[in-house]
């Protein structure tokens, strides 16, 4: 039997990963037909690649069968499962809260809806019902309205479905009524809950950081603080993953290795097998304690692959063990490749075990940090659109203090908390004081160096691929790795070319609206999508990545049709992040009916509303007509049918449009026959969320569109972002983000 070499394992990994590009996973099963040929020709990497493709396709078929059936969408079903993550609380209104958590080991009682094994569960409570919230670690039964997961897909940002698929989530649901407790959590779950409940009552960022460092509870860190940590380059320290698991393993090996200085364990022949078994047992218990989240489980698997050879008496190099761990993870679930955390943790670990060999001491530590920042920059630019150079300095201070002082003392405190609580409190007090003593220095760094220390730019697939290849080649071929890094850097540079033509992009912002018109170097944004204060908005998630991708560093005009949150929720983020030439509508200067302006070959005309009326928001939406010599696009905000009739009486023939952005996301109370009689669009574009609670677009609206003409209906809920070339006439089909050739994990139920 021929042993597998590194290139064979790499081919197996690439084969399983390539299955993610298939439009349907069933196509990959055809690899089985090629296996005999590959076996006969005996190119082992080719054979390994085909086996990886076949295994990845089989996994994809099983995943496809586990999706929520279309007939069960928005249906109430009895669901049994375990609350697997810490519930997150979000205040929606003064007296309403949303509680969300992930539920695993899911069993749906009704046979025709069985399939999903892990759900994202939401519960809506009033302030007086907070005691009825679901509890971490418990197994419950509840009536749940099942829903598909969000499915937004836009240029410049990774699709939602990738993030959920990488976390093994199959569907979502809302709890209807009260849940019924079937089983309490394990002792580890109960210990974690008790400790978190006690710490949550204590004031100060030090306690918030301790909850994150020791028990994996990041709920106390708000959106703005996460942004600060990203810009400081220290997020990896605060998220329990490979760093913490590796540190705990090192501490266990050190402590358990002390007795071996005096005697050996029976039967181990001096090779430390018992220590390796104990290390896996202790770190496994800690992984369960912090919830066994995907990053923690992945880190534990990597550790296991380094310890198992020692237990079995094998001799293997560190990078070989890591490669085996990566292959095992990808074969188990190829969709882990769709998550940023996999690439960041795997790449950092790969650099540490196989690529970074500097001198010892302070100079070696500085070199290590510089190389880590350099090689991780392409990955963070691709996944997050930004990278921090400040991490070179901040990590030199924080990594030793956090990993060598705070985490060990905190973990010892956890062990002693049930037996010697006073000593445990003392250790935690030291940890808290250390962190809070660092806050002034961290604030100083952000205040004076954020602007020059943070890179904000998108990165293409090609740049990302070159960055990953550079990681793999750094140990053996450093010159090639540096050349690839330079290539990745060049691919991230935005060339200020003169852009020709006029394009309109209707972005997929879920249940909301945001569209962008670009004419040459000018850009207009109409509406900003949904968003809540101090939380991730559609502007963060969709608009800013789009701007980075297309080199838009300023808006010549911003129109916010009215004040409803699904149209104006990202306004504050946009105003903070990008210069605005002129702001019309909500929170700006009032829209004025009949106002026109022209950018080269495109003309804009305000048709309705001020955008500022608080009593009749929808009907006072700023309506806009966008015209070129070939096309006319009519955008009406959330205007009702009654207001449309007033519009018709005033503008009549001027409402003729080749493209209609359907009002109010396809509500039955908009898009009247009166409007369609005069508009008569060739294309009807709808911005709505997939399987939204309002039933948009309504069947009546679709029927009116069908009866009024031959308009082709495109919906962002199913098509993703829609791009229209306004300078090419209405006969040119708009470009859709989602097509029949999209990867299978991007298809909708």
């Amino acid at each position: 039997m021929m042993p597998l070499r590194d290139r064979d394992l790499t081919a197996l990994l690439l084969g399983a990963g390539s299955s993610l590009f298939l439009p349907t996973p069933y196509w990959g099963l055809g690899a089985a037909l090629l296996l005999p040929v590959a076996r006969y020709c005996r190119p082992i990497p080719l054979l390994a690649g085909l086996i990886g493709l076949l295994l990845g396709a089989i996994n994809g078929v099983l995943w496809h069968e586990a999706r929520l059936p279309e007939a069960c969408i928005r249906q109430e079903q009895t669901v049994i499962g375990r609350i697997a993550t810490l519930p997150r609380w979000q205040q929606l209104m003064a007296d309403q809260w949303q509680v969300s958590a992930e539920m695993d080991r899911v069993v749906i009682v009704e046979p025709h809806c069985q399939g999903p094994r892990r759900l994202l569960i939401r519960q809506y409570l009033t302030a007086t019902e907070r005691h009825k919230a679901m509890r971490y670690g418990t197994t419950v039964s509840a009536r749940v309205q099942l829903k598909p997961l969000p499915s937004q897909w836009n240029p410049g940002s990774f699709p939602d479905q990738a993030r959920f698929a990488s976390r093994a989530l199959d569907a979502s649901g809302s709890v209807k009524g009260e849940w019924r407790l079937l089983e309490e959590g394990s002792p580890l779950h109960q210990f974690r809950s008790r400790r978190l409940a006690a710490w949550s009552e204590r004031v100060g960022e030090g306690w918030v950081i301790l909850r994150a460092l020791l028990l994996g509870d990041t709920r106390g860190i708000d959106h703005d603080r996460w942004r600060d940590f990203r810009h400081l380059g220290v997020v990896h320290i605060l998220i329990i993953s490979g760093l913490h698991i590796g540190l705990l393993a090192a501490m266990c090996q050190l402590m358990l290795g002390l007795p071996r200085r005096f005697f050996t364990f029976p039967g181990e022949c001096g090779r430390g097998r018992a220590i390796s078994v104990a290390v896996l047992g202790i770190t496994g218990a800690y992984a369960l304690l912090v919830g066994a989240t995907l990053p923690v489980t992945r880190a534990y698997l990597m550790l296991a692959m380094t310890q198992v050879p020692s237990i079995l008496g094998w001799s293997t190099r560190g990078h070989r063990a890591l490669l085996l761990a990566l292959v095992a993870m990808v074969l188990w679930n190829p969709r882990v490749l769709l998550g940023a955390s996999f690439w960041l943790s795997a790449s950092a670990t790969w650099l540490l075990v196989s690529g970074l060999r500097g001198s010892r001491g302070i100079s070696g530590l500085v070199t290590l940090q510089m190389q880590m920042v350099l090689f991780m920059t392409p990955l963070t630019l691709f996944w997050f659109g930004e990278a921090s150079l400040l991490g070179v300095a901040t990590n030199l201070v924080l990594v030793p203090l956090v990993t060598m002082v705070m985490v060990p003392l905190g973990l010892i405190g956890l062990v002693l908390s049930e037996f010697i609580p006073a000593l445990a409190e003392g250790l935690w007090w030291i940890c808290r004081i250390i962190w809070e003593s660092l806050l002034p220095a961290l604030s100083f760094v952000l205040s004076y160096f954020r602007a020059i220390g943070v890179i904000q730019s998108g990165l293409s697939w090609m740049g990302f691929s070159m960055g990953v290849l550079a990681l793999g080649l750094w140990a053996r071929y450093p010159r090639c790795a540096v050349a690839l890094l330079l290539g990745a850097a060049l691919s991230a540079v935005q060339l200020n070319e003169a852009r020709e033509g006029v394009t309109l992009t209707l972005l997929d912002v879920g249940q909301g609206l945001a569209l962008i018109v670009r004419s040459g170097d000018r850009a207009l944004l109409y509406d900003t999508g949904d968003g809540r204060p101090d939380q991730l908005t559609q502007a963060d998630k969709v608009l800013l990545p789009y701007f980075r991708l297309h080199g838009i560093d300023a808006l010549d005009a911003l129109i916010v049709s009215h004040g409803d949150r699904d149209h104006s929720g990202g306004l504050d983020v946009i105003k903070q992040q990008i210069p605005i030439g002129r702001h019309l509508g909500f929170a700006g200067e009032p829209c004025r009916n009949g106002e026109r302006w022209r950018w080269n070959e495109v003309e804009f005309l305000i048709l309705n509303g001020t955008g500022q009326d608080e009593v009749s928001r929808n009907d006072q939406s700023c309506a806009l007509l966008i015209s070129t010599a070939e096309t006319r696009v009519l955008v009406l905000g959330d205007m009702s049918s009654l207001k449309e009739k007033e519009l018709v009486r005033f503008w009549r023939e001027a409402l003729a449009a080749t493209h209609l952005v359907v009002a109010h996301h396809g509500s039955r109370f908009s898009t009247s026959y009166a409007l369609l009689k005069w508009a008569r669009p060739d294309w009807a574009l709808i911005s709505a969320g997939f399987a939204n609670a309002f039933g948009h677009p309504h069947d009546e609206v679709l029927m009116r569109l069908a009866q009024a003409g031959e308009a082709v209906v495109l919906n962002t809920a199913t098509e993703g972002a829609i791009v229209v070339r306004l300078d090419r006439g209405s006969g040119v089909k708009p470009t859709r983000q989602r097509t029949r050739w999209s990867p299978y994990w991007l298809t909708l139920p």
Side-chain angles (χ1 to χ4, degrees), residues 313-330:
W314 299 344
S315 177
T316 184
R317 293 170 294 175
H319 83 276
R320 172 82 170 190
L322 178 59
L323 186 57
L324 285 169
L326 297 178
V327 170
M329 283 187 286
V330 173

Side-chain angles (χ1 to χ4, degrees), residues 686-702:
I686 301 174
S687 179
F690 183 66
N692 62 82
F694 306 98
H696 296 160
H698 199 276
D699 290 340
E700 290 184 17
V701 172
L702 299 178

Side-chain angles (χ1 to χ4, degrees), residues 356-397:
L356 301 178
R357 295 186 177 89
S359 57
R360 297 182 179 181
I362 299 298
S363 62
L365 186 59
V366 173
T367 301
L368 169 65
Q369 292 300 328
M370 292 180 64
Q371 290 176 324
M372 288 289 285
V373 170
L374 180 66
F375 280 93
M376 298 299 287
T377 293
L379 277 68
T380 54
L381 286 178
F382 176 79
W383 289 105
F384 308 115
E386 61 182 19
S388 174
L389 302 180
L390 301 178
V392 175
T394 55
N395 280 281
L396 284 175
V397 177

Side-chain angles (χ1 to χ4, degrees), residues 452-627:
I452 61 174
V454 178
I455 303 172
Q456 292 188 328
S457 173
L459 192 66
S460 65
W461 273 100
M462 181 177 294
F464 173 73
S465 301
M466 287 191 289
V468 172
L469 191 57
L471 279 168
L473 295 178
W474 171 246
R476 295 184 180 180
Y477 308 101
R479 292 184 179 179
C480 293
V482 171
L484 287 167
L485 282 178
L486 290 175
L490 290 175
S491 71
V493 175
Q494 295 286 348
L495 300 178
N496 294 321
E497 304 176 335
R499 289 184 285 269
E500 299 180 355
V502 183
T503 61
L504 179 148
T505 303
L506 183 63
L507 291 168
D508 181 7
V509 291
Q511 190 65 17
L513 180 65
L515 65 85
I516 296 173
V517 180
R518 292 187 295 139
S519 176
D521 293 328
R522 292 185 167 183
L524 176 145
L525 173 64
Y526 183 98
D527 283 349
T528 64
D530 201 354
R532 295 180 183 275
D534 301 324
Q535 295 179 20
L536 186 70
T537 68
Q538 293 294 328
D540 294 296
K541 179 181 173 183
V542 176
L543 296 180
L544 295 181
Y546 180 90
F547 294 160
R548 285 193 291 264
L549 176 67
H550 293 282
I552 299 174
D553 52 12
L555 290 173
D556 296 270
L558 167 65
I559 299 177
V560 182
S561 62
H562 61 298
D564 283 1
R565 203 189 68 218
D566 57 335
H567 295 255
S568 63
L571 176 59
D572 289 341
V573 173
I574 294 297
K575 291 171 68 174
Q576 292 170 7
Q577 297 293 326
I578 191 166
I580 300 170
R582 190 182 181 196
H583 176 189
L584 297 171
F586 176 74
E589 61 178 285
C591 293
R592 296 174 177 85
N593 294 346
E595 181 178 359
R596 298 175 185 264
W597 68 94
R598 175 177 287 276
W599 295 345
N600 300 323
E601 57 186 303
V602 59
E603 181 183 78
F604 302 91
L605 170 62
I606 300 293
L607 298 176
N608 177 75
T610 64
Q612 299 183 339
D613 196 307
E614 289 294 329
V615 177
S616 181
R617 283 187 174 186
N618 288 351
D619 282 346
Q620 285 300 312
S621 296
C622 294
L624 183 67
L625 181 66
I626 307 163
S627 306

Side-chain angles (χ1 to χ4, degrees), residues 25 42 44 63 72 109 113 122 134 165 188 271-272 283 307 393 418 447 468 510 549 566 573 581 652 706:
R42 297 186 66 80
I44 303 302
W63 174 86
C72 298
V109 174
C113 290
R122 295 184 178 90
M134 48 192 169
L188 282 175
R271 287 178 287 187
T283 52
Q307 296 295 318
E418 298 289 316
S447 299
V468 172
L549 176 67
D566 57 335
V573 173
R652 300 179 71 82

